[in-house]
Amino acid sequence: MPSSSLLRIATYNIHKGVQGLGPARRLEIHNLALAVEQLDADIVCLQEVRKLHHRGPRQFRHWPEQPQADYLAPEGYEAVYRTNAVTRHGEHGNALLSRWPVAGHQHEDMSDHRFEQRGLLHVEVDIDGRRLHSIVVHLGLVPGSRVRQVEQLQRFIDREVPPGAPLVVAGDFNDWGLQIKRMLAGFGLHEYEDGPPVPTYPARLPLVQLDHVYVRGLVPAGLHVPRGRAWWRMSDHLPLIAEFRW
């Protein structure tokens, strides 16, 4: 197990492991499993992860028998998944993969209106005897919804995370302005800002950064987005990798 002095945290919207439209749709979950391993992160925060999908095994010959979170977890990692959305043919939600032991987890519904089912996943990770609180989010598409969801996130943190405890909030924020960033800074969450822009969406020609890793009680040390054809074929987002020091 690597040193705990430098933490590597990744966030990745995997688009349910499927890419393309119509007859060109292709299953990418097997490539995503290799990609997640290559990220070499202590914690991987995932969005749009399927637990089950009744049509998937009929549409794709090699659909994994395991839920996607378990399938994507590299050897030695623990996988935590909670459902955000229940659909006609299955369900999907957020997941967290941890190289370190998981001490506990919970889920909270963040749906702001009936057209979008959203949620947060809160996971406590034990890193050499130190507790790190990690929250995976996938915020809504409507600007007003995102503001209300961040307000709910703040209430959740105030209620569930001890004051001063190291905290990570990562995921797909669906926002490329500054309002959400300023709201998060208002309750002590910041991200690495010393380097050039790191757009993550759309993966093929990234123009905006929708994916973020914010922290409290850790020192941001770097930010990286992998590039190349192999990465943009796997999802409509690129993964974001952030490094922090205690």
Side-chain angles (χ1 to χ4, degrees), residues 199-235:
T200 58
Y201 181 88
R204 187 165 189 157
L205 184 65
L207 300 173
V208 295
Q209 183 184 350
L210 299 185
D211 308 273
H212 299 267
V213 181
Y214 292 95
V215 296
R216 181 185 79 185
L218 298 170
V219 180
L223 205 57
H224 173 62
V225 173
R227 304 289 185 191
R229 185 172 185 270
W231 289 100
W232 60 250
R233 280 184 56 83
M234 288 184 285
S235 174

mmCIF file of all heavy atoms in Angstrom, residues 199-235:
data_model
loop_
_atom_site.group_PDB
_atom_site.id
_atom_site.type_symbol
_atom_site.label_atom_id
_atom_site.label_comp_id
_atom_site.label_asym_id
_atom_site.label_seq_id
_atom_site.Cartn_x
_atom_site.Cartn_y
_atom_site.Cartn_z
ATOM 1 N N PRO A 199 -10.046 21.247 -18.692
ATOM 2 C CA PRO A 199 -11.391 20.893 -19.140
ATOM 3 C C PRO A 199 -11.582 19.379 -19.211
ATOM 4 O O PRO A 199 -10.664 18.644 -19.591
ATOM 5 C CB PRO A 199 -11.491 21.544 -20.523
ATOM 6 C CG PRO A 199 -10.082 21.706 -20.972
ATOM 7 C CD PRO A 199 -9.269 21.945 -19.735
ATOM 8 N N THR A 200 -12.772 18.925 -18.855
ATOM 9 C CA THR A 200 -13.064 17.487 -18.816
ATOM 10 C C THR A 200 -14.233 17.089 -19.712
ATOM 11 O O THR A 200 -14.523 15.896 -19.836
ATOM 12 C CB THR A 200 -13.394 17.052 -17.378
ATOM 13 O OG1 THR A 200 -14.520 17.816 -16.910
ATOM 14 C CG2 THR A 200 -12.209 17.271 -16.449
ATOM 15 N N TYR A 201 -14.910 18.085 -20.329
ATOM 16 C CA TYR A 201 -16.117 17.769 -21.100
ATOM 17 C C TYR A 201 -16.244 18.738 -22.278
ATOM 18 O O TYR A 201 -15.944 19.915 -22.120
ATOM 19 C CB TYR A 201 -17.344 17.891 -20.188
ATOM 20 C CG TYR A 201 -18.637 17.553 -20.869
ATOM 21 C CD1 TYR A 201 -19.099 16.239 -20.908
ATOM 22 C CD2 TYR A 201 -19.395 18.538 -21.500
ATOM 23 C CE1 TYR A 201 -20.288 15.930 -21.553
ATOM 24 C CE2 TYR A 201 -20.575 18.228 -22.146
ATOM 25 C CZ TYR A 201 -21.016 16.926 -22.171
ATOM 26 O OH TYR A 201 -22.189 16.621 -22.806
ATOM 27 N N PRO A 202 -16.721 18.218 -23.438
ATOM 28 C CA PRO A 202 -16.909 16.808 -23.790
ATOM 29 C C PRO A 202 -15.558 16.129 -24.031
ATOM 30 O O PRO A 202 -14.597 16.780 -24.449
ATOM 31 C CB PRO A 202 -17.740 16.879 -25.066
ATOM 32 C CG PRO A 202 -17.390 18.211 -25.668
ATOM 33 C CD PRO A 202 -17.129 19.137 -24.510
ATOM 34 N N ALA A 203 -15.488 14.844 -23.778
ATOM 35 C CA ALA A 203 -14.200 14.152 -23.746
ATOM 36 C C ALA A 203 -13.433 14.263 -25.058
ATOM 37 O O ALA A 203 -12.212 14.403 -25.054
ATOM 38 C CB ALA A 203 -14.412 12.675 -23.387
ATOM 39 N N ARG A 204 -14.156 14.224 -26.171
ATOM 40 C CA ARG A 204 -13.467 14.223 -27.466
ATOM 41 C C ARG A 204 -12.804 15.561 -27.753
ATOM 42 O O ARG A 204 -11.717 15.613 -28.331
ATOM 43 C CB ARG A 204 -14.464 13.871 -28.574
ATOM 44 C CG ARG A 204 -13.813 13.688 -29.923
ATOM 45 C CD ARG A 204 -14.753 13.002 -30.890
ATOM 46 N NE ARG A 204 -14.067 12.637 -32.132
ATOM 47 C CZ ARG A 204 -14.467 11.683 -32.940
ATOM 48 N NH1 ARG A 204 -15.523 10.955 -32.629
ATOM 49 N NH2 ARG A 204 -13.810 11.423 -34.047
ATOM 50 N N LEU A 205 -13.445 16.646 -27.369
ATOM 51 C CA LEU A 205 -12.879 17.981 -27.540
ATOM 52 C C LEU A 205 -13.227 18.788 -26.291
ATOM 53 O O LEU A 205 -14.145 19.601 -26.303
ATOM 54 C CB LEU A 205 -13.446 18.647 -28.798
ATOM 55 C CG LEU A 205 -12.871 20.023 -29.148
ATOM 56 C CD1 LEU A 205 -11.397 19.914 -29.488
ATOM 57 C CD2 LEU A 205 -13.652 20.650 -30.301
ATOM 58 N N PRO A 206 -12.510 18.564 -25.195
ATOM 59 C CA PRO A 206 -12.901 19.169 -23.910
ATOM 60 C C PRO A 206 -12.803 20.697 -23.918
ATOM 61 O O PRO A 206 -11.774 21.263 -24.271
ATOM 62 C CB PRO A 206 -11.924 18.549 -22.914
ATOM 63 C CG PRO A 206 -10.781 18.039 -23.721
ATOM 64 C CD PRO A 206 -11.334 17.692 -25.060
ATOM 65 N N LEU A 207 -13.915 21.324 -23.540
ATOM 66 C CA LEU A 207 -14.011 22.778 -23.533
ATOM 67 C C LEU A 207 -14.241 23.343 -22.138
ATOM 68 O O LEU A 207 -13.843 24.475 -21.860
ATOM 69 C CB LEU A 207 -15.152 23.227 -24.457
ATOM 70 C CG LEU A 207 -15.029 22.828 -25.927
ATOM 71 C CD1 LEU A 207 -16.309 23.197 -26.671
ATOM 72 C CD2 LEU A 207 -13.822 23.506 -26.567
ATOM 73 N N VAL A 208 -14.906 22.588 -21.267
ATOM 74 C CA VAL A 208 -15.260 23.087 -19.939
ATOM 75 C C VAL A 208 -14.919 22.043 -18.888
ATOM 76 O O VAL A 208 -14.864 20.842 -19.176
ATOM 77 C CB VAL A 208 -16.757 23.460 -19.842
ATOM 78 C CG1 VAL A 208 -17.082 24.624 -20.760
ATOM 79 C CG2 VAL A 208 -17.635 22.259 -20.149
ATOM 80 N N GLN A 209 -14.710 22.507 -17.676
ATOM 81 C CA GLN A 209 -14.461 21.603 -16.555
ATOM 82 C C GLN A 209 -15.752 21.436 -15.752
ATOM 83 O O GLN A 209 -16.142 22.311 -14.993
ATOM 84 C CB GLN A 209 -13.345 22.139 -15.645
ATOM 85 C CG GLN A 209 -13.008 21.173 -14.508
ATOM 86 C CD GLN A 209 -11.972 21.716 -13.551
ATOM 87 O OE1 GLN A 209 -11.347 22.746 -13.800
ATOM 88 N NE2 GLN A 209 -11.787 21.030 -12.431
ATOM 89 N N LEU A 210 -16.408 20.306 -15.950
ATOM 90 C CA LEU A 210 -17.608 19.996 -15.173
ATOM 91 C C LEU A 210 -17.285 19.173 -13.933
ATOM 92 O O LEU A 210 -18.090 19.110 -13.007
ATOM 93 C CB LEU A 210 -18.611 19.213 -16.032
ATOM 94 C CG LEU A 210 -19.141 19.901 -17.295
ATOM 95 C CD1 LEU A 210 -20.213 19.032 -17.936
ATOM 96 C CD2 LEU A 210 -19.678 21.288 -16.982
ATOM 97 N N ASP A 211 -16.107 18.563 -13.912
ATOM 98 C CA ASP A 211 -15.727 17.637 -12.843
ATOM 99 C C ASP A 211 -14.701 18.306 -11.936
ATOM 100 O O ASP A 211 -13.749 18.940 -12.409
ATOM 101 C CB ASP A 211 -15.153 16.361 -13.449
ATOM 102 C CG ASP A 211 -16.095 15.773 -14.500
ATOM 103 O OD1 ASP A 211 -16.978 15.003 -14.120
ATOM 104 O OD2 ASP A 211 -15.944 16.122 -15.696
ATOM 105 N N HIS A 212 -14.898 18.146 -10.631
ATOM 106 C CA HIS A 212 -14.061 18.850 -9.668
ATOM 107 C C HIS A 212 -13.782 17.965 -8.451
ATOM 108 O O HIS A 212 -14.563 17.066 -8.139
ATOM 109 C CB HIS A 212 -14.745 20.134 -9.179
ATOM 110 C CG HIS A 212 -15.029 21.128 -10.262
ATOM 111 N ND1 HIS A 212 -14.151 22.148 -10.589
ATOM 112 C CD2 HIS A 212 -16.093 21.273 -11.096
ATOM 113 C CE1 HIS A 212 -14.670 22.872 -11.571
ATOM 114 N NE2 HIS A 212 -15.845 22.354 -11.895
ATOM 115 N N VAL A 213 -12.668 18.276 -7.779
ATOM 116 C CA VAL A 213 -12.345 17.666 -6.486
ATOM 117 C C VAL A 213 -12.038 18.805 -5.521
ATOM 118 O O VAL A 213 -11.002 19.464 -5.631
ATOM 119 C CB VAL A 213 -11.141 16.711 -6.575
ATOM 120 C CG1 VAL A 213 -10.873 16.080 -5.213
ATOM 121 C CG2 VAL A 213 -11.377 15.625 -7.624
ATOM 122 N N TYR A 214 -12.950 19.047 -4.590
ATOM 123 C CA TYR A 214 -12.796 20.089 -3.574
ATOM 124 C C TYR A 214 -12.425 19.443 -2.245
ATOM 125 O O TYR A 214 -12.891 18.336 -1.933
ATOM 126 C CB TYR A 214 -14.095 20.879 -3.405
ATOM 127 C CG TYR A 214 -14.482 21.722 -4.589
ATOM 128 C CD1 TYR A 214 -15.359 21.240 -5.558
ATOM 129 C CD2 TYR A 214 -13.980 23.013 -4.746
ATOM 130 C CE1 TYR A 214 -15.722 22.020 -6.651
ATOM 131 C CE2 TYR A 214 -14.346 23.795 -5.836
ATOM 132 C CZ TYR A 214 -15.212 23.297 -6.785
ATOM 133 O OH TYR A 214 -15.568 24.065 -7.862
ATOM 134 N N VAL A 215 -11.604 20.134 -1.458
ATOM 135 C CA VAL A 215 -11.177 19.568 -0.177
ATOM 136 C C VAL A 215 -11.212 20.608 0.935
ATOM 137 O O VAL A 215 -11.165 21.815 0.697
ATOM 138 C CB VAL A 215 -9.739 18.984 -0.263
ATOM 139 C CG1 VAL A 215 -9.680 17.812 -1.225
ATOM 140 C CG2 VAL A 215 -8.727 20.049 -0.636
ATOM 141 N N ARG A 216 -11.287 20.093 2.134
ATOM 142 C CA ARG A 216 -11.127 20.869 3.368
ATOM 143 C C ARG A 216 -10.191 20.091 4.271
ATOM 144 O O ARG A 216 -10.343 18.886 4.431
ATOM 145 C CB ARG A 216 -12.492 21.024 4.056
ATOM 146 C CG ARG A 216 -12.453 21.843 5.334
ATOM 147 C CD ARG A 216 -13.823 21.845 6.006
ATOM 148 N NE ARG A 216 -14.053 20.603 6.744
ATOM 149 C CZ ARG A 216 -15.211 20.288 7.354
ATOM 150 N NH1 ARG A 216 -16.246 21.108 7.235
ATOM 151 N NH2 ARG A 216 -15.340 19.162 8.015
ATOM 152 N N GLY A 217 -9.195 20.762 4.843
ATOM 153 C CA GLY A 217 -8.268 20.081 5.743
ATOM 154 C C GLY A 217 -7.157 19.335 5.051
ATOM 155 O O GLY A 217 -6.389 18.622 5.690
ATOM 156 N N LEU A 218 -7.025 19.469 3.731
ATOM 157 C CA LEU A 218 -5.936 18.907 2.952
ATOM 158 C C LEU A 218 -5.349 20.016 2.094
ATOM 159 O O LEU A 218 -6.024 21.003 1.787
ATOM 160 C CB LEU A 218 -6.420 17.768 2.055
ATOM 161 C CG LEU A 218 -7.011 16.534 2.732
ATOM 162 C CD1 LEU A 218 -7.664 15.623 1.682
ATOM 163 C CD2 LEU A 218 -5.944 15.773 3.493
ATOM 164 N N VAL A 219 -4.102 19.847 1.681
ATOM 165 C CA VAL A 219 -3.416 20.859 0.874
ATOM 166 C C VAL A 219 -3.397 20.408 -0.582
ATOM 167 O O VAL A 219 -2.773 19.393 -0.910
ATOM 168 C CB VAL A 219 -1.972 21.076 1.367
ATOM 169 C CG1 VAL A 219 -1.275 22.142 0.510
ATOM 170 C CG2 VAL A 219 -1.957 21.476 2.836
ATOM 171 N N PRO A 220 -4.082 21.111 -1.495
ATOM 172 C CA PRO A 220 -4.039 20.742 -2.914
ATOM 173 C C PRO A 220 -2.616 20.795 -3.455
ATOM 174 O O PRO A 220 -1.880 21.752 -3.237
ATOM 175 C CB PRO A 220 -4.927 21.801 -3.583
ATOM 176 C CG PRO A 220 -5.842 22.281 -2.489
ATOM 177 C CD PRO A 220 -4.993 22.254 -1.246
ATOM 178 N N ALA A 221 -2.209 19.723 -4.180
ATOM 179 C CA ALA A 221 -0.832 19.637 -4.650
ATOM 180 C C ALA A 221 -0.719 19.466 -6.153
ATOM 181 O O ALA A 221 0.382 19.575 -6.697
ATOM 182 C CB ALA A 221 -0.120 18.470 -3.943
ATOM 183 N N GLY A 222 -1.815 19.185 -6.854
ATOM 184 C CA GLY A 222 -1.723 19.014 -8.298
ATOM 185 C C GLY A 222 -3.032 18.542 -8.888
ATOM 186 O O GLY A 222 -3.915 18.050 -8.187
ATOM 187 N N LEU A 223 -3.141 18.701 -10.213
ATOM 188 C CA LEU A 223 -4.355 18.355 -10.930
ATOM 189 C C LEU A 223 -3.963 17.876 -12.319
ATOM 190 O O LEU A 223 -3.097 18.467 -12.964
ATOM 191 C CB LEU A 223 -5.268 19.583 -11.030
ATOM 192 C CG LEU A 223 -6.773 19.407 -11.194
ATOM 193 C CD1 LEU A 223 -7.359 18.581 -10.058
ATOM 194 C CD2 LEU A 223 -7.448 20.774 -11.239
ATOM 195 N N HIS A 224 -4.609 16.814 -12.773
ATOM 196 C CA HIS A 224 -4.213 16.217 -14.047
ATOM 197 C C HIS A 224 -5.428 15.593 -14.718
ATOM 198 O O HIS A 224 -6.285 15.009 -14.057
ATOM 199 C CB HIS A 224 -3.137 15.144 -13.806
ATOM 200 C CG HIS A 224 -2.782 14.361 -15.023
ATOM 201 N ND1 HIS A 224 -2.227 14.922 -16.153
ATOM 202 C CD2 HIS A 224 -2.922 13.030 -15.304
ATOM 203 C CE1 HIS A 224 -2.030 13.979 -17.061
ATOM 204 N NE2 HIS A 224 -2.451 12.834 -16.572
ATOM 205 N N VAL A 225 -5.479 15.718 -16.061
ATOM 206 C CA VAL A 225 -6.517 15.067 -16.860
ATOM 207 C C VAL A 225 -5.821 14.247 -17.943
ATOM 208 O O VAL A 225 -5.079 14.802 -18.754
ATOM 209 C CB VAL A 225 -7.462 16.100 -17.510
ATOM 210 C CG1 VAL A 225 -8.431 15.410 -18.466
ATOM 211 C CG2 VAL A 225 -8.239 16.854 -16.451
ATOM 212 N N PRO A 226 -6.030 12.929 -17.982
ATOM 213 C CA PRO A 226 -5.425 12.134 -19.055
ATOM 214 C C PRO A 226 -6.029 12.488 -20.409
ATOM 215 O O PRO A 226 -7.218 12.784 -20.503
ATOM 216 C CB PRO A 226 -5.753 10.684 -18.674
ATOM 217 C CG PRO A 226 -6.524 10.721 -17.427
ATOM 218 C CD PRO A 226 -6.796 12.126 -17.045
ATOM 219 N N ARG A 227 -5.220 12.438 -21.430
ATOM 220 C CA ARG A 227 -5.663 12.789 -22.789
ATOM 221 C C ARG A 227 -5.432 11.610 -23.723
ATOM 222 O O ARG A 227 -4.720 10.675 -23.413
ATOM 223 C CB ARG A 227 -4.883 14.004 -23.311
ATOM 224 C CG ARG A 227 -4.961 15.226 -22.424
ATOM 225 C CD ARG A 227 -6.314 15.881 -22.447
ATOM 226 N NE ARG A 227 -6.336 17.124 -21.690
ATOM 227 C CZ ARG A 227 -7.430 17.787 -21.381
ATOM 228 N NH1 ARG A 227 -8.605 17.319 -21.758
ATOM 229 N NH2 ARG A 227 -7.371 18.908 -20.701
ATOM 230 N N GLY A 228 -6.033 11.698 -24.893
ATOM 231 C CA GLY A 228 -5.790 10.704 -25.921
ATOM 232 C C GLY A 228 -7.058 9.998 -26.354
ATOM 233 O O GLY A 228 -8.084 10.005 -25.670
ATOM 234 N N ARG A 229 -6.990 9.378 -27.516
ATOM 235 C CA ARG A 229 -8.153 8.746 -28.120
ATOM 236 C C ARG A 229 -8.750 7.665 -27.236
ATOM 237 O O ARG A 229 -9.976 7.523 -27.145
ATOM 238 C CB ARG A 229 -7.765 8.156 -29.477
ATOM 239 C CG ARG A 229 -8.926 7.574 -30.269
ATOM 240 C CD ARG A 229 -8.476 7.187 -31.672
ATOM 241 N NE ARG A 229 -9.594 6.742 -32.500
ATOM 242 C CZ ARG A 229 -9.998 5.487 -32.593
ATOM 243 N NH1 ARG A 229 -9.353 4.543 -31.902
ATOM 244 N NH2 ARG A 229 -11.024 5.151 -33.359
ATOM 245 N N ALA A 230 -7.914 6.880 -26.579
ATOM 246 C CA ALA A 230 -8.434 5.799 -25.730
ATOM 247 C C ALA A 230 -9.331 6.345 -24.637
ATOM 248 O O ALA A 230 -10.347 5.734 -24.279
ATOM 249 C CB ALA A 230 -7.275 5.012 -25.124
ATOM 250 N N TRP A 231 -8.994 7.521 -24.111
ATOM 251 C CA TRP A 231 -9.781 8.094 -23.018
ATOM 252 C C TRP A 231 -11.094 8.665 -23.526
ATOM 253 O O TRP A 231 -12.140 8.462 -22.906
ATOM 254 C CB TRP A 231 -8.964 9.163 -22.288
ATOM 255 C CG TRP A 231 -7.845 8.581 -21.489
ATOM 256 C CD1 TRP A 231 -6.528 8.531 -21.855
ATOM 257 C CD2 TRP A 231 -7.937 7.935 -20.225
ATOM 258 N NE1 TRP A 231 -5.795 7.889 -20.880
ATOM 259 C CE2 TRP A 231 -6.629 7.525 -19.868
ATOM 260 C CE3 TRP A 231 -8.989 7.665 -19.347
ATOM 261 C CZ2 TRP A 231 -6.348 6.848 -18.680
ATOM 262 C CZ3 TRP A 231 -8.715 6.997 -18.157
ATOM 263 C CH2 TRP A 231 -7.416 6.597 -17.833
ATOM 264 N N TRP A 232 -11.080 9.387 -24.656
ATOM 265 C CA TRP A 232 -12.345 9.991 -25.073
ATOM 266 C C TRP A 232 -13.307 8.986 -25.667
ATOM 267 O O TRP A 232 -14.497 9.259 -25.802
ATOM 268 C CB TRP A 232 -12.147 11.203 -25.961
ATOM 269 C CG TRP A 232 -11.438 11.104 -27.273
ATOM 270 C CD1 TRP A 232 -10.203 11.617 -27.567
ATOM 271 C CD2 TRP A 232 -11.915 10.534 -28.504
ATOM 272 N NE1 TRP A 232 -9.874 11.391 -28.886
ATOM 273 C CE2 TRP A 232 -10.913 10.738 -29.490
ATOM 274 C CE3 TRP A 232 -13.093 9.887 -28.868
ATOM 275 C CZ2 TRP A 232 -11.037 10.287 -30.800
ATOM 276 C CZ3 TRP A 232 -13.231 9.438 -30.184
ATOM 277 C CH2 TRP A 232 -12.212 9.645 -31.126
ATOM 278 N N ARG A 233 -12.852 7.786 -25.978
ATOM 279 C CA ARG A 233 -13.769 6.758 -26.473
ATOM 280 C C ARG A 233 -14.571 6.102 -25.341
ATOM 281 O O ARG A 233 -15.625 5.520 -25.587
ATOM 282 C CB ARG A 233 -12.986 5.672 -27.229
ATOM 283 C CG ARG A 233 -12.624 6.050 -28.646
ATOM 284 C CD ARG A 233 -11.931 4.894 -29.355
ATOM 285 N NE ARG A 233 -12.725 3.668 -29.362
ATOM 286 C CZ ARG A 233 -13.685 3.407 -30.241
ATOM 287 N NH1 ARG A 233 -13.974 4.289 -31.194
ATOM 288 N NH2 ARG A 233 -14.354 2.265 -30.193
ATOM 289 N N MET A 234 -14.102 6.180 -24.117
ATOM 290 C CA MET A 234 -14.712 5.414 -23.031
ATOM 291 C C MET A 234 -15.908 6.088 -22.393
ATOM 292 O O MET A 234 -16.785 5.432 -21.821
ATOM 293 C CB MET A 234 -13.661 5.088 -21.961
ATOM 294 C CG MET A 234 -12.674 4.038 -22.412
ATOM 295 S SD MET A 234 -11.505 3.552 -21.142
ATOM 296 C CE MET A 234 -10.397 4.956 -21.105
ATOM 297 N N SER A 235 -15.950 7.426 -22.406
ATOM 298 C CA SER A 235 -17.037 8.155 -21.766
ATOM 299 C C SER A 235 -17.144 9.531 -22.397
ATOM 300 O O SER A 235 -16.231 9.974 -23.117
ATOM 301 C CB SER A 235 -16.778 8.286 -20.256
ATOM 302 O OG SER A 235 -17.756 9.100 -19.639
#
